[in-house]
Structures are given as C-alpha cells and as structure tokens.
Amino acid sequence: LDVNKDTVITLTDDIVVNEGSAKKWANGTSTLPAAWTPIVGFNGKFDGGGHTISGIYGITVSGATGIGLFTQTDGATIENLRVTNSYFSVDTTNGTGGVVGCGSGTFKSIYTDVIMADKDSLPRGYMGGIIGKATGAVTIENCWSNSNMDSRHERVGGLIGECNGKNITIKHCLNTGNLTHHYTTHKNFKTACFFGGLVGRTSSSGSLVIEDSLSTGIVQSKASEEASEPQSITRIGALI
C-alpha cells in the first residue's frame, strides 16, 4: 500500500474482514478469527465513500506504534467511513483507536462501533473511539463513536484518549459508547488514570477546542476482582 501524502484511496463497497460477532470474540464465547494486519504510517487521503469496514480483530503488532484500522497517521485525511462489529484486544503501551492508534490528521463523517479491552492487568497506554493518542494537529468533525471501552489504560476518551499535540479541534461530534475503568491494586502502579466522555486527557501545551459536541455514554470506574484498596487515582469527566 502506497502511504505517501499524495495517495488517495476510495472504497467502492463494504469490506467484511471476518464473519462472526465482535461481542462473542470479546467475551470468549467464540473462536477468535484471523488477526487484522493494520495499515502502517498512512499520510494520504482515505475516503470510505459511506461504506463500512467490519469484522476486524486487532491485536498488538510487534514494533507497531498503535492498534486500529491504521496503526499511525501523519497528517492524513480519513472520512466518510463506518467501522463496526470489530474487537481490539489491547496489550500495548501505545495508542488504540477505533480508526487510528496514534497520530495526526483530519477525521470527518466517521462512525465507529468497536469493542476495546485490555488483556493485561497493568494500566498503560491510550484508548479512544476515533484515535488513541493525538500526537499532532487533529480535527475530528461530524463523527460518532458508539465504541465501548473496558480498560485499565491510563488515558481513555470517547473520541481521543490523549491529546498530546497542538491544535486539537472537535466539532459536531457525539459519543454514545460506554467507558469503564477497572482500577488496580498492583503495587508497581501508583499513578493517575484519566477517563473522559470525549477526551481522556489533554496536555498542558497546545489548544483543545470543542464545539457543538456531546457525550451520553456512561463513564465509570470499578474495582477489579482482586482489588481491595486502589493504588491509582482515577479522574473522570463527562467530556474531559
């Protein structure tokens, strides 16, 4: 796949990567399908043409910077796309997103209905319904995430897990997915976790603009089965 900034890819039909149910893959009641080989380092334009990509089973890829339809983007434009009935099983210190693991770019008219859950007992990394970790300028416009995230990750948001870049703009967006944090009592983990309806956490540098956007999903924190007294602090916000 050519991934330079002049590349333009347009879908002309729906794509079913795997048949089956993402919910059953996530709860272990169905055999896991073939793992998705993600698109790495995409910098061009991807126009979904209003079509749907479904049946993705995403896992950690050795050497990759994230998990998603794309592992990483750098100034890419991704639009007019639906990502549904997909499951990302997370075990990485990097980003996990319904569309992009980490990176920068413009995301317009995208709908995600993805299940994301970590399989490790230690909190780590970033998780978001559209992008796990924003590392540069990002614009998300007219997007809707109905993705459910069940995580011990440090930064989790309905749209973006971590805003670690400058000039982040969210316009006319909606999150209806549920975010559940499972705090840990692991003695080696004593730090804060951030969960937000739209954005998990934003850095002190750069700007974050949110316009005409809403989150109606549940954002909550629960004790893990082994928890007796939490070692971490959980910060939860309706939007951030």
Side-chain angles (χ1 to χ4, degrees):
L1 176 65
D2 187 357
V3 296
N4 70 58
K5 64 181 180 179
D6 298 319
T7 299
V8 177
I9 298 172
T10 302
L11 292 187
T12 59
D13 204 348
D14 296 344
I15 296 175
V16 179
V17 179
N18 290 293
E19 299 285 354
S21 166
K23 290 182 179 180
K24 291 183 178 181
W25 301 336
N27 64 28
T29 59
S30 177
T31 302
L32 292 174
W36 168 247
T37 301
I39 303 167
V40 180
F42 186 72
N43 304 326
K45 180 178 180 179
F46 188 98
D47 186 345
H51 293 291
T52 299
I53 298 177
S54 63
I56 299 172
Y57 168 51
I59 59 174
T60 304
V61 178
S62 178
T65 55
I67 303 174
L69 177 64
F70 301 82
T71 61
Q72 183 177 11
T73 58
D74 183 6
T77 296
I78 302 172
E79 59 188 12
N80 306 320
L81 178 65
R82 294 167 53 88
V83 181
T84 66
N85 188 38
S86 296
Y87 169 49
F88 295 111
S89 180
V90 183
D91 181 14
T92 177
T93 57
N94 296 305
T96 302
V99 179
V100 175
C102 68
S104 62
T106 299
F107 307 87
K108 292 183 177 181
S109 301
I110 296 173
Y111 172 76
T112 65
D113 189 351
V114 173
I115 298 171
M116 288 176 255
D118 30 45
K119 57 181 181 178
D120 195 301
S121 61
L122 285 178
R124 57 177 68 187
Y126 317 88
M127 189 182 288
I130 301 295
I131 181 170
K133 182 179 182 181
T135 57
V138 168
T139 296
I140 300 178
E141 187 172 352
N142 297 324
C143 292
W144 174 10
S145 173
N146 190 41
S147 297
N148 292 320
M149 289 163 256
D150 194 89
S151 177
R152 295 173 176 84
H153 271 46
E154 294 179 17
R155 288 90 168 95
V156 177
L159 299 178
I160 306 174
E162 164 94 343
C163 294
N164 199 28
K166 297 179 179 179
N167 303 322
I168 310 295
T169 301
I170 297 172
K171 291 184 178 181
H172 314 303
C173 290
L174 173 66
N175 171 59
T176 54
N178 297 328
L179 283 61
T180 301
H181 172 243
H182 294 274
Y183 64 69
T184 179
T185 58
H186 197 287
K187 63 181 181 180
N188 293 329
F189 185 78
K190 296 183 179 182
T191 189
C193 294
F194 301 83
F195 277 58
L198 295 180
V199 175
R201 183 177 183 269
T202 180
S203 64
S204 58
S205 62
S207 64
L208 171 63
V209 177
I210 299 176
E211 297 182 6
D212 299 321
S213 297
L214 176 68
S215 175
T216 62
I218 296 171
V219 184
Q220 61 185 335
S221 182
K222 293 182 176 181
S224 302
E225 291 183 1
E226 75 278 5
S228 56
E229 185 175 329
Q231 297 293 319
S232 60
I233 300 171
T234 306
R235 293 180 171 91
I236 291 177
L239 295 180
I240 304 172

